[in-house]
Amino acid sequence: MEKRGRLYAGKAKTVFETADADRLILHFRDDTSAFDGGRTAALKNKGAVNNYFNAHIMEKLAAAGIATHFEKILGDNESLVKRLDMIGVECVVRNIAAGSICKRLGLEEGLVLDEPLYELFLKDDALHDPLINEDHAVLFKWAARDELRVMREMTLRVNRALQALFAEVGILLVDFKLEFGRFHGDILLGDEFTPDGCRIWDAATRKKLDKDRFRRELGGVVEAYQEAALRLGIDIKV
Ligand code: TMP
Ligand code: ASP
């Protein structure tokens, strides 16, 4: 697929147009960002690791019947995807308390929740991605009520599929964030699923295998992503 002009550069990916108006190329960079851009660094090989990680997860989700934008890997750092009209709301599921919910509600990290907790955030770094509910999203026209219902159902299905996938290799799926978009009348899972946008812990030791290693300056960030990938049987070619 022929790469055309750069459409958009996010904090960790650059998006390119292609000759096909319905297809984009995602380029996973080594750039890493946390705290809404407050801390950034380039971590060698992270882009390629995340590209292969994302491809594997998106293929597993497709096999589980979840419609995604992913089409195929094009190279170490690039994948071809469908061009979505993105919905600017972030869908989060938590199975174990960590991160912002601990601060917000005074919970201890590691509290296992009785059932998956679904939360919505507005995708807006300048506002620090505030927590919202479905009524905000409808009122301010970020998404329609029926779209939000589909997003919630799909996010909870992703949680069930990935909890099982990670459990098989001794990893706890603590929480994750998804983004969705519209494509010819359907809602598809877009963006990425990588250790940049989820929390995953070793089930035995609770060692963090995700971006909290970067947020908390624990070191071994890409090595931990690679460890998770290796356990999942992902063939990373770098
Ligand atoms: P949080 O604890 O910061 O609310 O994040 C919950 C999960 O969602 C965590 O795995 C990180 C991910 N996430 C992002 O990757 N980007 C975001 O902008 C938000 C709000 C969450
Ligand atoms: N809010 C997420 C984090 O703290 C993502 C981001 O800021 O880029 O990592």
Side-chain angles (χ1 to χ4, degrees):
M1 181 68 64
E2 188 198 330
K3 199 153 123 184
R4 296 250 171 112
R6 192 179 82 162
L7 181 67
Y8 169 80
K11 285 174 286 185
K13 297 190 293 298
T14 305
V15 182
F16 294 90
E17 293 188 305
T18 69
D20 179 345
D22 267 345
R23 299 287 181 283
L24 296 173
I25 291 172
L26 297 186
H27 181 104
F28 289 77
R29 307 195 313 271
D30 288 345
D31 297 326
T32 310
S33 152
F35 310 118
D36 307 314
R39 180 184 301 155
T40 58
L43 302 178
K44 194 171 181 312
N45 287 337
K46 196 206 63 160
V49 170
N50 274 0
N51 185 38
Y52 287 111
F53 198 107
N54 177 63
H56 180 83
I57 298 289
M58 290 286 171
E59 282 168 359
K60 291 286 181 188
L61 292 177
I66 294 150
T68 88
H69 70 157
F70 180 79
E71 300 224 320
K72 63 178 180 181
I73 288 233
L74 297 174
D76 285 342
N77 290 75
E78 291 187 340
S79 287
L80 184 70
V81 298
K82 293 187 176 71
R83 183 180 192 149
L84 308 185
D85 168 24
M86 291 305 290
I87 296 171
V89 159
E90 304 188 329
C91 304
V92 167
V93 170
R94 303 179 190 275
N95 298 303
I96 298 178
S100 73
I101 197 173
C102 292
K103 262 196 195 157
R104 199 183 332 126
L105 302 181
L107 304 176
E108 197 168 321
E109 181 180 88
L111 175 73
V112 178
L113 307 179
D114 287 345
E115 55 185 85
L117 177 68
Y118 179 70
E119 293 181 334
L120 288 178
F121 295 85
L122 178 64
K123 187 178 170 73
D124 188 327
D125 279 348
L127 298 177
H128 301 295
D129 296 343
L131 180 74
I132 58 167
N133 68 27
E134 293 194 351
D135 289 347
H136 293 97
V138 173
L139 183 63
F140 298 112
K141 298 188 169 44
W142 297 316
R145 187 79 62 186
D146 58 335
E147 292 176 330
L148 291 159
R149 185 177 40 76
V150 171
M151 288 156 63
R152 178 190 164 96
E153 277 169 13
M154 287 177 75
T155 303
L156 291 169
R157 280 172 65 204
V158 167
N159 187 49
R160 287 193 290 275
L162 295 188
Q163 261 193 318
L165 190 78
F166 284 111
E168 276 173 26
V169 298
I171 294 177
L172 296 172
L173 179 58
V174 173
D175 60 30
F176 61 87
K177 180 263 299 179
L178 301 180
E179 295 180 32
F180 293 88
R182 308 172 182 100
F183 186 77
H184 298 292
D186 289 324
I187 300 286
L188 305 190
L189 174 61
D191 191 46
E192 65 178 65
F193 191 103
T194 69
D196 272 357
C198 70
R199 290 190 174 91
I200 47 177
W201 297 348
D202 176 74
T205 64
R206 294 206 161 189
K207 177 185 170 187
K208 297 179 196 305
L209 302 172
D210 57 65
K211 202 165 81 175
D212 270 350
R213 300 201 72 82
F214 177 69
R215 296 188 188 97
R216 299 186 185 192
E217 302 183 285
L218 299 174
V221 181
V222 179
E223 291 80 357
Y225 290 21
Q226 273 172 310
E227 182 183 332
L230 189 69
R231 288 206 215 171
L232 288 165
I234 302 172
D235 183 18
I236 294 177
K237 297 177 179 63
V238 290

